[in-house]
Amino acid sequence: MRYISIKSFLLLVVLSLVLAACQPAATPTQAPQPTQPPAQATQPPQPTTAPEPTTPALPQPTIQLPEVDPASVSGDIYAAGSSTVYPLAEKIAELFKAEGFTGNLKIDSIGSGAGFERFCKTGETDIANASRKIKDSEVEACKNIGRTPVEFRIGTDALAVVIHPDNDWATNLTVEELAKLFSNEVTNWNEVNPAWPNQPIKRYSPGTDSGTFDYFVEAVMQPTFGKDKAKEAILKAANIQFSEDDNVLVQGVVGDRYAIGYFGFAYYEENKDKLKDASINGIAPTFDTVEGGEYPLARPLFIYSDAAIMQAKPQVAAFINFFLMNVNDVIEEVGYFPASAAALDGARQAWLNAMAAEVELVLVLPPVDPASVSGDIYAAGSSTVYPLAEKIAELFKAEGFTGNLKIDSIGSGAGFERFCKTGETDIANASRKIKDSEVEACKNIGRTPVEFRIGTDALAVVIHPDNDWATNLTVEELAKLFSNEVTNWNEVNPAWPNQPIKRYSPGTDSGTFDYFVEAVMQPTFGKDKAKEAILKAANIQFSEDDNVLVQGVVGDRYAIGYFGFAYYEENKDKLKDASINGIAPTFDTVEGGEYPLARPLFIYSDAAIMQAKPQVAAFINFFLMNVNDVIEEVGYFPASTTALNQAKQNWLDAMK
């Protein structure tokens, strides 16, 4: 392996990604596929018997960094911070040294806050290890010494709440009980639960400079005591010992039957032969419960550096690269949980950005020549995805496709019905994720949906150009305007006209409708009544044809409607868009996550279809490789590089 400059490796990286497409994946991401085309399947495919994995498959990032040869790297590297990150950083450091690093690599375990102080105030360190995100005040301190922190997500930790092995009363705690046990409100166990012993609680906590302490205060203490009193409650608790050394906490709990403590899961794993872990809300910390989002006390882990440091000290850049490329090989062994593929891709992209800001690595699919492709392709679904799919189809035909390509605009739900129930289509276009019931319907006809993220849409809320009262709406006002609770505008705001609201909505089979119910109606009316509220609204017209909605709003000063941003862009010379919570939908506000009504766009297919019908695979490949060239022209917003890379990886997996 060699450590090479950013300018030298770009071509090699892209080439390696293409070559990787031809290699078997380390971990399959799709269920076994039927060997015959789905149209011929009369029975759902039978599951094959496979050995049960001992732990969940690790997420597979798609972005690769240049190879590093630690033996060719020298110089000093100094990292300090979180005691939780410490064992993981130490493990990576051991590997780095074992592979030949000849410099000095020092890692101090001093707590996240102290780590940021050394990185941002005194400027002593090259890397800050952290079990929480950096605070605004710490970013400002970094700025004062000319540093701009670059964040690298490296994994996930679950806090373990530990008790003495002889403790048989507190084996399952609620978050509220846990908060009280660490508060100044109680001294003895039986003050939390009368069935528990009338004995003083001996409490052991990481030090106040630790990210573990900060996280515990936020996740456990605040829900019970509120933001203002949460920290005070634990700081003033009786019989509490704080320490930045988690081994001190372990020994404290081991030595007293009436003790309770908390720290990173890795330290429990190291000491589980002499400690007991308490479940929280009935859920114990395991790889399954943390990865599945069930365990309540899980948190991300990070390392931070600075682009100028990484460029001036190649040994630091090399170590961070090595960390990001090897962390998933050791993280479970240390006792933590892997970050998602998307999060790790984000960290790797951050490394690339720090080393050369203009670089954005993109996964490359094998080239497609549409002129050499023939056969039928049939797609149906979302009216929102339709103009984007049509644009790609036009390009595909313009470059020589000689077959028949049909795309129907019928709404996401109807599209999934044709794909998953009747099996008529090769591709389902959708402005929402596929539902479990639709996946099950697909399974019944021998199909396993493969998801491809293609972009992002923002819903535009549109009004008549002469409407000068509803130019800026809150989400709650918007929900009421589309509900059966009001008929006239002034019932929402007395300053608005005493005139009937004319409402225009996409049809109930549309993903746009589903998204509006979820994002707008549910926060005000609740999950059970949200859909009913809009369906029973007076003066409302539903249509799967967004042009009908446009014409409805154009024709009435007291009308209001909503649909995909692309349709507003097409008609903005005759419509006005309302801001939501003070934010108008623009490329900047959607990309920056500020605009409240944005949603992902997808197409779905099936591996067996793609393998049996190469024209379908070719069209999806062409779609993913060209979508960002046209998406803004159509009026939508690009998916992130990570999301589009994942879609391309899904294509590669489906074609194996």
Side-chain angles (χ1 to χ4, degrees):
M1 293 187 292
R2 289 187 306 139
Y3 181 70
I4 56 180
S5 71
I6 191 80
K7 293 179 180 177
S8 304
F9 77 75
L10 288 179
L11 183 60
L12 294 175
V13 174
V14 174
L15 179 60
S16 70
L17 289 171
V18 176
L19 292 175
C22 304
Q23 303 299 321
T27 305
T29 58
Q30 297 294 329
Q33 303 295 329
T35 56
Q36 298 297 320
Q40 300 172 8
T42 57
Q43 297 293 329
Q46 297 301 310
T48 56
T49 302
E52 287 292 326
T54 55
T55 59
L58 289 175
Q60 299 300 313
T62 57
I63 293 178
Q64 302 298 306
L65 298 183
E67 288 185 339
V68 169
D69 177 13
S72 68
V73 181
S74 62
D76 294 341
I77 304 169
Y78 182 19
S82 167
S83 62
T84 304
V85 173
Y86 178 77
L88 182 57
E90 271 288 282
K91 187 71 177 178
I92 296 292
E94 288 171 12
L95 289 177
F96 199 56
K97 293 172 183 174
E99 292 195 19
F101 175 62
T102 57
N104 178 41
L105 206 173
K106 180 183 179 186
I107 303 174
D108 283 343
S109 173
I110 57 175
S112 299
F116 283 127
E117 188 159 333
R118 288 193 191 175
F119 182 74
C120 290
K121 287 190 177 179
T122 63
E124 298 171 59
T125 57
D126 307 303
I127 297 169
N129 300 332
S131 54
R132 61 165 170 81
K133 277 185 170 286
I134 192 168
K135 298 175 181 177
D136 291 344
S137 59
E138 293 160 339
V139 172
E140 193 62 28
C142 268
K143 185 178 177 182
N144 291 339
I145 64 167
R147 291 184 171 186
T148 302
V150 179
E151 179 180 286
F152 304 99
R153 172 75 182 276
I154 53 170
T156 304
D157 177 34
L159 289 193
V161 176
V162 294
I163 51 179
H164 192 277
D166 295 340
N167 182 326
D168 55 5
W169 61 89
T171 54
N172 181 25
L173 301 168
T174 66
V175 172
E176 184 180 3
E177 287 172 335
L178 181 59
K180 288 182 178 177
L181 285 169
F182 275 88
S183 78
N184 60 342
E185 283 196 353
V186 301
T187 303
N188 286 13
W189 284 93
N190 66 334
E191 294 173 58
V192 177
N193 185 325
W196 294 349
N198 185 12
Q199 294 288 337
I201 308 160
K202 304 295 179 63
R203 317 171 217 242
Y204 291 88
S205 166
T208 58
D209 211 17
S210 163
T212 311
F213 173 83
D214 291 342
Y215 177 71
F216 189 83
V217 169
E218 179 185 344
V220 176
M221 305 302 289
Q222 281 188 22
T224 297
F225 298 102
K227 192 170 184 179
D228 294 338
K229 297 182 179 178
K231 192 171 182 179
E232 181 184 17
I234 187 172
L235 290 176
K236 292 186 175 180
N239 301 318
I240 191 164
Q241 180 171 345
F242 296 99
S243 177
E244 299 294 348
D245 185 345
D246 289 342
N247 286 312
V248 171
L249 310 180
V250 169
Q251 294 308 313
V253 178
V254 167
D256 194 316
R257 186 185 179 203
Y258 300 105
I260 185 170
Y262 68 91
F263 37 72
F265 185 73
Y267 283 94
Y268 166 70
E269 281 289 294
E270 281 183 23
N271 296 279
K272 62 184 178 183
D273 58 329
K274 47 191 173 183
L275 288 170
K276 186 186 288 186
D277 65 326
S279 296
I280 306 299
N281 293 348
I283 300 166
T286 68
F287 288 102
D288 287 335
T289 60
V290 170
E291 179 69 16
E294 300 164 58
Y295 184 66
L297 303 183
R299 59 178 173 165
L301 304 177
F302 306 95
I303 58 176
Y304 287 81
S305 191
D306 168 84
I309 293 172
M310 293 165 63
Q311 291 171 17
K313 301 179 73 172
Q315 69 271 27
V316 175
F319 178 65
I320 294 172
N321 176 328
F322 188 85
F323 204 131
L324 297 176
M325 292 299 293
N326 290 276
V327 63
N328 273 6
D329 295 336
V330 302
I331 195 163
E332 293 188 3
E333 176 190 341
V334 175
Y336 297 142
F337 307 85
S340 69
L344 203 50
D345 269 341
R348 293 177 181 182
Q349 185 64 56
W351 188 95
L352 290 168
N353 292 343
M355 296 304 291
E358 74 280 2
V359 175
E360 188 169 56
L361 196 62
V362 175
L363 184 61
V364 178
L365 296 183
V368 169
D369 176 13
S372 67
V373 181
S374 62
D376 294 341
I377 305 170
Y378 182 18
S382 167
S383 62
T384 305
V385 173
Y386 177 77
L388 182 57
E390 271 289 282
K391 188 70 176 178
I392 297 292
E394 287 170 15
L395 290 176
F396 199 56
K397 292 172 185 174
E399 293 193 20
F401 175 63
T402 57
N404 179 41
L405 205 173
K406 180 183 177 186
I407 304 174
D408 283 344
S409 174
I410 57 175
S412 299
F416 282 128
E417 188 159 333
R418 288 194 192 174
F419 183 74
C420 290
K421 287 190 176 179
T422 63
E424 298 171 59
T425 57
D426 306 304
I427 297 169
N429 299 331
S431 54
R432 61 166 171 80
K433 277 186 171 283
I434 191 168
K435 297 175 181 176
D436 291 344
S437 59
E438 292 160 340
V439 172
E440 193 62 28
C442 268
K443 184 179 177 183
N444 291 338
I445 64 166
R447 290 184 170 186
T448 301
V450 181
E451 179 180 285
F452 305 98
R453 171 77 181 276
I454 54 170
T456 303
D457 176 36
L459 289 193
V461 177
V462 295
I463 51 179
H464 192 276
D466 294 339
N467 182 326
D468 56 5
W469 61 89
T471 55
N472 181 26
L473 301 168
T474 66
V475 172
E476 184 179 3
E477 286 172 337
L478 181 58
K480 288 182 178 178
L481 285 169
F482 275 88
S483 79
N484 60 343
E485 282 197 353
V486 302
T487 304
N488 287 13
W489 284 93
N490 66 334
E491 294 173 59
V492 178
N493 185 326
W496 294 349
N498 185 13
Q499 294 288 336
I501 308 159
K502 304 295 179 64
R503 317 172 217 242
Y504 291 88
S505 166
T508 58
D509 210 19
S510 164
T512 310
F513 173 83
D514 291 341
Y515 177 71
F516 189 82
V517 169
E518 179 185 343
V520 176
M521 305 303 289
Q522 281 187 22
T524 297
F525 297 102
K527 193 170 184 180
D528 294 337
K529 297 181 180 178
K531 193 171 182 180
E532 180 184 18
I534 187 172
L535 290 176
K536 292 186 175 180
N539 301 317
I540 191 163
Q541 180 172 346
F542 297 98
S543 177
E544 299 294 348
D545 185 345
D546 290 342
N547 287 312
V548 171
L549 310 180
V550 169
Q551 294 309 312
V553 178
V554 166
D556 194 316
R557 186 185 181 206
Y558 301 104
I560 185 170
Y562 67 92
F563 37 71
F565 185 73
Y567 283 93
Y568 167 70
E569 282 289 295
E570 282 183 24
N571 296 278
K572 63 183 177 182
D573 58 329
K574 48 190 172 184
L575 288 170
K576 186 186 287 186
D577 64 327
S579 296
I580 306 299
N581 294 348
I583 300 166
T586 68
F587 288 102
D588 288 338
T589 59
V590 170
E591 180 67 18
E594 301 165 57
Y595 184 66
L597 303 183
R599 58 178 173 165
L601 302 177
F602 306 94
I603 59 176
Y604 287 82
S605 191
D606 168 84
I609 294 172
M610 293 165 63
Q611 291 173 17
K613 300 179 73 172
Q615 69 271 27
V616 174
F619 179 65
I620 295 172
N621 177 326
F622 188 86
F623 203 131
L624 298 176
M625 291 301 293
N626 290 276
V627 64
N628 274 4
D629 294 336
V630 302
I631 194 163
E632 293 188 8
E633 175 189 341
V634 175
Y636 297 142
F637 307 86
S640 68
T641 299
T642 298
L644 201 53
N645 277 344
Q646 185 60 61
K648 292 172 183 176
Q649 186 64 51
N650 290 350
W651 187 94
L652 293 169
D653 293 337
M655 295 305 293
K656 286 170 187 166

